[in-house]
């Protein structure tokens, strides 16, 4: 089955700096890569996603890049703000195999004011 | 439009007791999923359903059973709870394959279960 690894497990940055979280996956059949943000005690919520036919996607301060050959994808947050502090999860899934997701272990991001 | 809801929010069980967690969605989603979330391990898929009357095993199905008698509901059962099943349980749902509305899974608020 699919194996998703995520690094780092914790990340501390100063407000205004950039943050990068990296994930690798093992199954070349995976074709959908969502990123979820989870605040303490809350449900995971989608912040950005990318399909395997696209190399990069951007939404305001958030961007995701995908390298299919190397089987890795990354989340980039620019101009970080204290409200970006949360746990971020990457996932890999096959949309034509019942859309099952395999999640990374999460990155706790702390943005210091 | 409530989205995905879960009941109960919290529960404490003794070893060997049974219980059922209920997930409901009002978005007419075909697919529904049950995950457990443990510290440092992300979310792991327990069981999933691709339509009313169907269920299938995920990564960690042992000790759990599920049923989807109605399209909008997905039930997770623990027949004989064990301390290893102490976790936060999340339900999620999504549109079916090929749906132009996207592939996102929408999550419920979670159920915190403690087994003593």
């Amino acid at each position: 089955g699919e194996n998703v690894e995520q690094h780092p497990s914790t990340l501390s940055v100063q407000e205004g700096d950039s943050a990068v979280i990296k994930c690798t996956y093992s199954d070349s059949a995976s074709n959908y890569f969502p990123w979820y943000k989870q605040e303490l005690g809350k449900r995971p919520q989608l912040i950005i996603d990318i399909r395997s036919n696209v190399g990069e996607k951007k939404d305001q301060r958030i961007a995701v890049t995908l390298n299919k050959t190397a089987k890795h994808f990354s989340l980039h947050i620019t101009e970080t703000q204290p409200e970006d502090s949360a746990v971020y999860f990457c996932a890999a899934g096959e949309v034509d195999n019942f859309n099952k997701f395999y999640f990374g272990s999460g990155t706790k991001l702390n943005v210091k004011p | 439009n409530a989205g995905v809801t879960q009941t109960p929010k919290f529960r404490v069980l003794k070893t060997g007791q049974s219980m059922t967690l209920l997930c409901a969605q009002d978005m007419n989603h075909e697919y529904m999923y049950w995950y457990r979330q443990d510290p440092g391990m992300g979310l792991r898929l327990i069981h999933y359903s691709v339509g009313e009357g169907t269920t299938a095993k995920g990564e960690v199905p042992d000790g759990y059973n599920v049923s989807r008698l109605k399209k909008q509901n997905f039930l997770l059962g623990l027949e004989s709870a064990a301390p290893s099943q102490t976790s936060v349980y999340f339900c999620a749902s999504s549109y079916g394959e090929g749906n132009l509305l996207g592939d996102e899974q929408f999550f419920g608020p979670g159920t915190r279960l403690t087994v003593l």
Side-chain angles (χ1 to χ4, degrees):
Chain A
E2 176 67 278
N3 181 42
V4 178
E5 296 193 353
Q6 183 173 346
H7 300 281
S9 56
T10 59
L11 180 59
S12 190
V13 301
Q14 206 67 40
E15 182 178 358
D17 288 349
S18 295
V20 180
I21 303 170
K22 299 182 179 182
C23 289
T24 61
Y25 62 100
S26 61
D27 191 347
S28 56
S30 292
N31 54 14
Y32 176 66
F33 305 92
W35 286 88
Y36 282 82
K37 176 183 180 182
Q38 187 178 30
E39 297 176 349
L40 190 63
K42 301 288 181 67
R43 72 188 77 190
Q45 293 199 296
L46 182 76
I47 54 171
I48 195 166
D49 56 8
I50 192 168
R51 283 239 190 181
S52 60
N53 57 350
V54 175
E56 183 173 357
K57 184 176 178 181
K58 190 173 181 181
D59 182 4
Q60 299 184 342
R61 296 186 296 110
I62 295 173
V64 57
T65 58
L66 171 65
N67 183 328
K68 279 195 302 182
T69 304
K71 295 195 185 71
H72 67 71
F73 55 113
S74 300
L75 178 72
H76 305 253
I77 306 174
T78 58
E79 300 172 20
T80 54
Q81 301 166 3
E83 51 264 39
D84 294 329
S85 296
V87 178
Y88 292 80
F89 292 96
C90 64
E94 268 188 81
V95 297
D96 44 2
N97 185 16
F98 309 121
N99 208 22
K100 291 181 290 182
F101 289 179
Y102 296 88
F103 283 84
S105 54
T107 296
K108 185 174 182 180
L109 174 64
N110 179 34
V111 180
K112 295 178 285 186
Chain B
N1 195 344
V4 182
T5 58
Q6 292 181 232
T7 53
K9 289 185 170 54
F10 305 93
R11 186 73 186 268
V12 178
L13 290 179
K14 294 181 180 177
T15 296
Q17 288 185 319
S18 64
M19 78 163 294
T20 299
L21 283 68
L22 171 64
C23 175
Q25 52 92 8
D26 61 2
M27 295 177 281
N28 201 32
H29 285 169
E30 288 295 328
Y31 295 172
M32 296 186 75
Y33 311 84
W34 275 108
Y35 293 92
R36 60 178 290 172
Q37 184 175 38
D38 302 295
M41 298 186 74
L43 295 109
R44 292 182 292 168
L45 183 65
I46 305 172
H47 285 281
Y48 64 100
S49 167
V50 299
E52 182 178 312
T54 75
T55 63
K57 294 180 180 180
E59 297 174 84
V60 289
D62 293 343
Y64 306 95
N65 57 74
V66 288
S67 65
R68 190 153 176 218
L69 300 178
K70 293 183 179 181
K71 184 177 183 178
Q72 63 268 35
N73 295 338
F74 195 28
L75 278 64
L76 178 71
L78 286 74
E79 289 187 348
S80 179
S84 60
Q85 294 178 303
T86 293
S87 188
V88 180
Y89 292 86
F90 285 98
C91 175
S93 67
S94 71
Y95 294 104
E97 180 184 336
N99 193 298
L100 295 177
L101 292 171
D103 307 306
E104 176 184 357
Q105 286 186 19
F106 295 81
F107 283 81
T111 295
R112 184 173 294 275
L113 175 66
T114 301
V115 182
L116 302 174

